[in-house]
Amino acid sequence: MDLPRPGSSAYLTIGWPSPHTFLSIISSIGGCIDFMELGIPAKRPIYDGPVIRLTHREASGLASGLRGAVTLAREAGIRLGKPVILMSYLSEFGGDVKALVEAAAQAEAISVLSPDLLFEYFDRIGDYIDVIRMYGMKPSFFVSSKFPHKILSKLASTNPLLIYLGLQPATGVKLPVAIYRNLRLARSIIGPRTYLLAGFSIRTPEAAESVVMAGADAVVVGSEVVRRYRSGGLDSVANLLCSIRKALVVSVG
């Protein structure tokens, strides 16, 4: 499956803020995104920022464990009518790549993205690629702007579904980082064909448009979705995501 260019996406932790409301949010944003990232609540979401970390804590236990989270993710995909990418820390599965990929398959996701795969389980990358292809899915990789260029190039050569570039050190944290320079550099390394998804601290349509113009194929919004829900409810979330998608479509006119 090929993802649209440009594309817009959102992230939610499965079951947050409650299973019922989670599905209500999902139902309200299907027309505002091209694909969705759903995260299994983690005990140690160490690569997430404070806003998303809190959703992991608040969702923990609400989805009745892994089985409940997978069931909710599958239901979310049906309601969205859009592709779902499952996100989970491999540490939550004790480093068991097969168990991680099986969870994604049960959730009827098109791929599974693990933030700690390349950082803490580097020796398991080959296993991850083999297993996910065995289940009929394509691999996805999360990288930071400090990743070695040689490895980034090698990941692109595996024909992944996408490479997710974190523009900031953590989700929802905005620091004076040269994000546009890093995007252009990543694009030059992975080439024009590899799908480049950018996230972390994208809060407005203008920011999303600038990120795509700098070389990303798509953006994902997570922390700002949480903030908008807390401050303005479902309508505020849908308005944000629809305005971002509209800005991206207009930008390529």
Side-chain angles (χ1 to χ4, degrees):
M1 172 180 288
D2 293 326
L3 298 173
R5 304 177 192 239
S8 62
S9 177
Y11 168 87
L12 274 180
T13 302
I14 298 170
W16 181 87
S18 71
H20 175 77
T21 305
F22 166 77
L23 290 175
S24 295
I25 296 173
I26 290 292
S27 297
S28 72
I29 63 174
C32 306
I33 58 172
D34 295 301
F35 58 99
M36 186 80 199
E37 297 176 21
L38 298 175
I40 293 177
K43 298 181 184 70
R44 296 179 62 247
I46 57 176
Y47 296 111
D48 284 296
V51 174
I52 299 299
R53 284 189 188 192
L54 184 57
T55 67
H56 280 270
R57 284 201 298 272
E58 292 176 342
S60 181
L62 294 177
S64 301
L66 176 61
R67 180 175 295 182
V70 167
T71 300
L72 270 177
R74 187 168 57 244
E75 174 64 23
I78 293 170
R79 294 195 182 201
L80 280 167
K82 300 290 174 65
V84 166
I85 298 171
L86 195 70
M87 294 189 70
S88 179
Y89 286 82
L90 187 52
S91 58
E92 292 294 312
F93 290 82
D96 187 338
V97 169
K98 189 169 185 291
L100 171 70
V101 175
E102 280 182 346
Q106 291 166 5
E108 299 180 1
I110 62 170
S111 186
V112 57
L113 185 61
S114 186
D116 55 354
L117 173 66
L118 295 174
F119 297 91
E120 299 186 40
Y121 298 93
F122 191 80
D123 60 333
R124 307 300 309 278
I125 295 173
D127 293 339
Y128 165 72
I129 294 172
D130 290 343
V131 173
I132 200 165
R133 292 202 186 286
M134 186 173 69
Y135 277 79
M137 293 180 272
K138 295 177 75 173
S140 296
F141 301 105
F142 172 78
V143 300
S144 76
S145 58
K146 294 184 177 179
F147 232 69
H149 298 175
K150 187 176 179 180
I151 294 176
L152 193 56
S153 178
K154 197 166 184 176
L155 295 175
S157 73
T158 66
N159 188 29
L161 177 70
L162 59 84
I163 290 179
Y164 181 158
L165 177 65
L167 299 175
Q168 295 283 346
T171 56
V173 176
K174 198 167 185 178
L175 297 177
V177 177
I179 61 174
Y180 303 120
R181 183 197 66 186
N182 292 339
L183 273 167
R184 287 190 287 270
L185 179 59
R187 173 56 74 197
S188 70
I189 295 170
I190 68 175
R193 295 183 60 184
T194 301
Y195 199 87
L196 181 60
L197 173 66
F200 290 21
S201 80
I202 295 174
R203 302 176 181 178
T204 65
E206 293 77 16
E209 185 177 1
S210 297
V211 165
V212 168
M213 295 301 289
D217 291 303
V219 299
V220 56
V221 184
S223 297
E224 190 63 18
V225 167
V226 175
R227 293 190 190 95
R228 292 294 183 106
Y229 177 75
R230 291 192 191 281
S231 64
L234 296 178
D235 288 345
S236 182
V237 173
N239 288 340
L240 169 69
L241 296 177
C242 280
S243 63
I244 287 175
R245 189 164 189 255
K246 182 179 179 181
L248 295 183
V249 171
V250 170
S251 71
V252 297

